[in-house]
């Protein structure tokens, strides 16, 4: 079973996830031909709050998410899932593989591997956001 600790959400990752949730809400609202005001009225939330949720300027709370889902005639999971399930499965697989790799390995080596993994993740995130400058100028031996 996957533990919460395996989902390492830093603020940037959570912001990206909330952006996806906001875009999903907007897409579903527009698919139904609803204005922001109409969704606000149906969900008993303010139009300005709906706008802020859709643009990820605020994190949506569970109560508001339920209201929005009901107003859109969706389940909460319909608004949240957008690839999250696959990401959780991938995290579980990676964690299991890492456990096998480090089993019986010296703690200093494990720490070095984790440090390298952190750097690679930051580079991946920078590249995903279109910032290739951080990696492009580095020499092969500069990654550590």
């Amino acid at each position: 079973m996957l533990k919460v600790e395996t989902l390492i959400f830093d603020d940037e990752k959570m912001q990206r996830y909330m952006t996806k949730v906001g875009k999903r809400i907007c897409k579903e609202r527009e698919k139904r031909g609803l204005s922001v005001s109409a969704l606000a009225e149906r969900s008993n939330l303010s139009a300005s709050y709906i706008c802020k949720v859709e643009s990820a300027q605020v994190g949506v709370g569970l109560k508001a998410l339920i209201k929005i889902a009901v107003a859109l005639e969706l389940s909460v999971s319909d608004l949240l899932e957008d690839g999250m399930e696959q990401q959780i499965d991938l995290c579980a697989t990676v964690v299991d593989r890492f456990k096998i790799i480090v089993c019986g390995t010296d703690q200093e080596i494990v720490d070095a591997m984790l440090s390298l993994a952190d750097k690679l993740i930051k580079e991946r995130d920078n590249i995903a956001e279109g910032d290739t400058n951080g990696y492009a100028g580095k020499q092969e031996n500069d990654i550590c």
Side-chain angles (χ1 to χ4, degrees), residues 4-135:
V4 175
E5 296 86 37
T6 61
L7 293 175
I8 305 169
F9 279 102
D10 60 23
D11 288 341
E12 289 176 28
K13 287 181 183 177
M14 184 56 77
Q15 183 61 37
R16 282 195 302 274
Y17 183 66
M18 292 308 297
T19 298
K20 287 180 184 180
V21 171
K23 285 180 181 178
R24 161 85 34 107
I25 291 168
C26 181
K27 180 179 127 188
E28 294 296 335
R29 175 182 57 76
E30 289 174 344
K31 189 162 59 169
R32 286 159 179 74
L34 295 173
S35 66
V36 171
S37 298
L39 178 57
E41 187 176 321
R42 282 185 176 195
S43 61
N44 199 27
L45 298 166
S46 73
S48 98
Y49 180 73
I50 298 289
C51 283
K52 288 178 182 177
V53 168
E54 288 185 353
S55 62
Q57 293 175 2
V58 297
V60 62
L62 182 58
K63 187 175 179 180
L65 191 62
I66 292 169
K67 288 180 173 187
I68 292 168
V70 169
L72 293 171
E73 299 176 349
L74 295 168
S75 69
V76 171
S77 63
D78 288 334
L79 296 175
L80 294 177
E81 282 182 355
D82 194 33
M84 188 61 167
E85 214 167 86
Q86 295 89 353
Q87 188 175 0
I88 290 170
D89 290 342
L90 177 63
C91 287
T93 303
V94 169
V95 168
D96 290 341
R97 289 179 63 200
F98 189 74
K99 286 178 184 176
I100 292 167
I101 292 168
V102 300
C103 184
T105 304
D106 182 52
Q107 185 63 43
E108 189 175 323
I109 293 171
V110 172
D111 291 342
M113 291 169 72
L114 290 171
S115 176
L116 178 59
D118 284 341
K119 290 177 183 179
L120 291 171
I121 288 168
K122 286 178 185 171
E123 288 297 330
R124 179 210 57 203
D125 291 346
N126 288 341
I127 290 169
E129 292 173 6
D131 176 18
T132 56
N133 293 334
Y135 183 74

